Amino acid sequence: MALRALYNEIRGMKVREVPAYLKPRLTWGNVKKNADQAVDRYIEKYIETGSPQPLFHVCFGGMVFSYFVNLPWERAHLAHLEEMEKHGGKH
């Protein structure tokens, strides 16, 4: 929702006006305040209600994280296999 509101505010601006509009909103203090508010909303919505959603968020987040950590090795492995097949070698 916040990105949609930001997009709607920026949509009518000229490109030159966007950096001056965004610069005060991207200060460290402002980003920290917004992150703290987001964490507080998450805690109110999921943790305090006893919802099982945080467990699912951790599980799926761990799966995505492990996929991205392992992705470079997998790509290199597949490139090696393709190179072997191209030169007629066995793996």
Side-chain angles (χ1 to χ4, degrees):
M1 288 293 187
L3 287 177
R4 183 179 299 167
L6 179 67
Y7 173 73
N8 287 335
E9 293 174 3
I10 292 176
R11 185 171 55 183
M13 294 182 180
K14 294 183 180 179
V15 174
R16 289 184 191 177
E17 299 169 349
V18 173
Y21 175 78
L22 290 178
K23 190 171 183 177
R25 286 163 179 73
L26 293 177
T27 63
W28 179 250
N30 199 10
V31 170
K32 185 178 182 314
K33 180 185 71 140
N34 289 335
D36 288 341
Q37 289 174 349
V39 168
D40 290 341
R41 284 191 308 266
Y42 184 86
I43 289 171
E44 288 174 8
K45 186 174 182 179
Y46 296 114
I47 305 297
E48 291 178 356
T49 60
S51 174
Q53 288 291 333
L55 180 61
F56 300 140
H57 293 157
V58 169
C59 290
F60 289 123
M63 288 182 354
V64 169
F65 177 75
S66 65
Y67 175 79
F68 283 128
V69 166
N70 198 28
L71 187 61
W73 185 85
E74 286 293 330
R75 289 183 57 115
H77 179 68
L78 290 174
H80 176 71
L81 289 177
E82 288 174 358
E83 188 69 24
M84 293 286 288
E85 288 176 0
K86 190 167 101 174
H87 292 298
K90 292 184 178 183
H91 47 123

